[in-house]
Amino acid sequence: MCPFTKQLRLKYAVSLLRLAGEPETDTKKMNNALYESKLSGLERVSQGKVRDIYAVDDNHLLIVTTDRLSAFDVILPDPIPGKGAVLTQLSNFWFKRTTGIVPNHLTGLDLESVISNASELAALSDRAIIVKRLNPLPVEAVVRGYLIGSGWKDYQATGEVCGIALPAGLEMAAQLPQPIFTPATKAAVGDHDENIDFARMSDMIGTELAERVREMSILVYLHGAEYALERGIIIADTKFEFGLDNEGQLYLIDEVLTPDSSRFWPAELYTTGISPPSFDKQFVRDHLETLAWDKRAPGPKLPVEVINKTAEKYQQALELLTA
Ligand SMILES: Nc1ncnc2c1ncn2[C@@H]1O[C@H](COP(=O)(O)OP(=O)(O)O)[C@@H](O)[C@H]1O
Ligand SMILES: [Mg+2]
């Protein structure tokens, strides 16, 4: 099929998606969005693009997933209402399903045990968790089932992704013969991650640990991708983070198989030769592409329709996967 026809098919499908997703505008929800958390009594030890991290004690952290949205590694000024709660619920869902594959940082400790202020507790109950305080590995454990993003760029330039040779003649967004593990270094805030090959990762953390991380990552991806596909979502690729405890035990940490850490494509709209629409951030990306923004901080304000549609898509992903 010629690419032009594919473009047209996709345009049609995307317009269907828009119509199907046409929401009644709900500005009330926006007032409940959480851009930044405040917790009295606990020390905030760090703040990522999306999460605020508090120390509970030497062995535990409290992680609050806010509604901040980043695009092109820039935190946008508008939060997406409910996004943090969706990410928390979805990650918890996957953490529980994958304990047989790899231990994770969940503790099951009640928030009540560390948050004494009732209104703070109510505000954070669906988006805060108490986790084991671990030493994050300095690598992003990326698994790709499909050829897109930086993987596609590398493949076009070299025929490889992170040193892994792939068959010739693959199209953009093609499914790979099997998922590949393509690690990246963790960039500082505002920087982009850098793809590395497995040998470099082994130099950084040791071969044995690198092999375990690769194996666990591929197993969790395969489990999630198969499950999601039955529910109409292709998980094209994803990024995991792992941490070690003081005894050297490996844990899955951070977030798992969410629309923020992965590319979710509606299976119905999947096609190769172009970049398929992503489930959640498509409205934001479409909008940002109409602007003359140089992709540097500060990011632009978003129209309310874009915010609402994005919130709705996150919610829909959660429902499709967990209902
Ligand atoms: N169990 C854990 N122990 C220690 N650090 C953790 C744990 N879980 C997640 N983290 C760290 O918390 C941060 C999460 O914040 P986030 O906003 O997602 O950061 P980023 O901007 O790097 O994506 C990450 O730096 C991650 O490595
Ligand atoms: Mg993160």
Side-chain angles (χ1 to χ4, degrees), residues 46-53 61 63 68 105 131-137 140 186-187 189 239 241 252-255:
S46 69
Q47 188 168 45
K49 290 189 285 289
V50 174
R51 294 175 178 78
D52 296 342
I53 323 280
L61 296 172
I63 298 186
R68 295 194 291 271
H105 71 172
V131 302
K132 293 192 176 78
R133 185 174 194 164
L134 300 162
N135 305 304
L137 297 179
E140 313 263 21
K186 264 193 206 172
V189 173
K239 178 217 73 179
E241 289 192 44
L252 190 55
I253 65 168
D254 200 48
E255 64 179 325

Side-chain angles (χ1 to χ4, degrees), residues 94-107 132 134 212 216 220 240-245 248-254 256:
W94 292 120
F95 277 132
K96 283 172 194 147
R97 287 186 69 93
T98 56
T99 44
I101 303 173
V102 58
N104 60 62
H105 71 172
L106 293 188
T107 60
K132 293 192 176 78
L134 300 162
R212 270 179 50 225
M216 300 295 111
V220 175
F240 300 111
E241 289 192 44
F242 289 85
L244 295 176
D245 68 11
Q249 163 91 20
L250 185 67
Y251 293 86
L252 190 55
I253 65 168
D254 200 48
V256 177

Side-chain angles (χ1 to χ4, degrees), residues 6-18 148 172-173 232-236 259 262-286 289 313:
K6 276 187 181 165
Q7 286 279 16
L8 279 180
R9 264 206 316 153
L10 186 80
K11 254 191 158 164
Y12 173 68
V14 168
S15 62
L16 279 183
L17 180 80
R18 288 227 169 88
I148 197 73
M172 180 193 272
I233 295 176
I234 291 174
I235 303 183
S262 325
R263 280 190 178 82
F264 281 15
W265 293 337
E268 268 194 337
L269 303 179
Y270 171 67
T271 179
T272 58
I274 53 142
S275 183
S278 84
F279 206 88
D280 50 300
K281 288 198 187 161
Q282 200 60 35
F283 297 110
V284 178
R285 292 207 186 103
D286 287 352
E289 267 157 30
K313 288 289 155 194

Side-chain angles (χ1 to χ4, degrees), residues 188-234:
V189 173
D191 265 352
H192 301 289
D193 299 334
E194 184 202 338
N195 286 346
I196 55 174
D197 61 15
F198 188 73
R200 169 102 184 274
M201 175 175 170
S202 301
D203 288 344
M204 289 170 72
I205 66 167
T207 304
E208 199 187 317
L209 185 56
E211 280 171 354
R212 270 179 50 225
V213 167
R214 176 172 63 186
E215 188 192 346
M216 300 295 111
S217 300
I218 288 182
L219 287 175
V220 175
Y221 170 79
L222 280 172
H223 168 82
E226 190 188 334
Y227 176 94
L229 192 56
E230 287 165 14
R231 283 149 187 86
I233 295 176
I234 291 174

Side-chain angles (χ1 to χ4, degrees), residues 94-159:
W94 292 120
F95 277 132
K96 283 172 194 147
R97 287 186 69 93
T98 56
T99 44
I101 303 173
V102 58
N104 60 62
H105 71 172
L106 293 188
T107 60
L109 290 173
D110 283 340
L111 293 174
E112 285 84 347
S113 62
V114 298
I115 306 178
S116 46
N117 179 306
S119 64
E120 288 177 354
L121 182 64
L124 299 182
S125 62
D126 57 355
R127 57 173 74 237
I129 50 168
I130 301 172
V131 302
K132 293 192 176 78
R133 185 174 194 164
L134 300 162
N135 305 304
L137 297 179
V139 284
E140 313 263 21
V142 177
V143 180
R144 299 169 193 271
Y146 294 75
L147 196 52
I148 197 73
S150 67
W152 166 244
K153 272 194 198 146
D154 290 354
Y155 173 75
Q156 279 178 294
T158 65

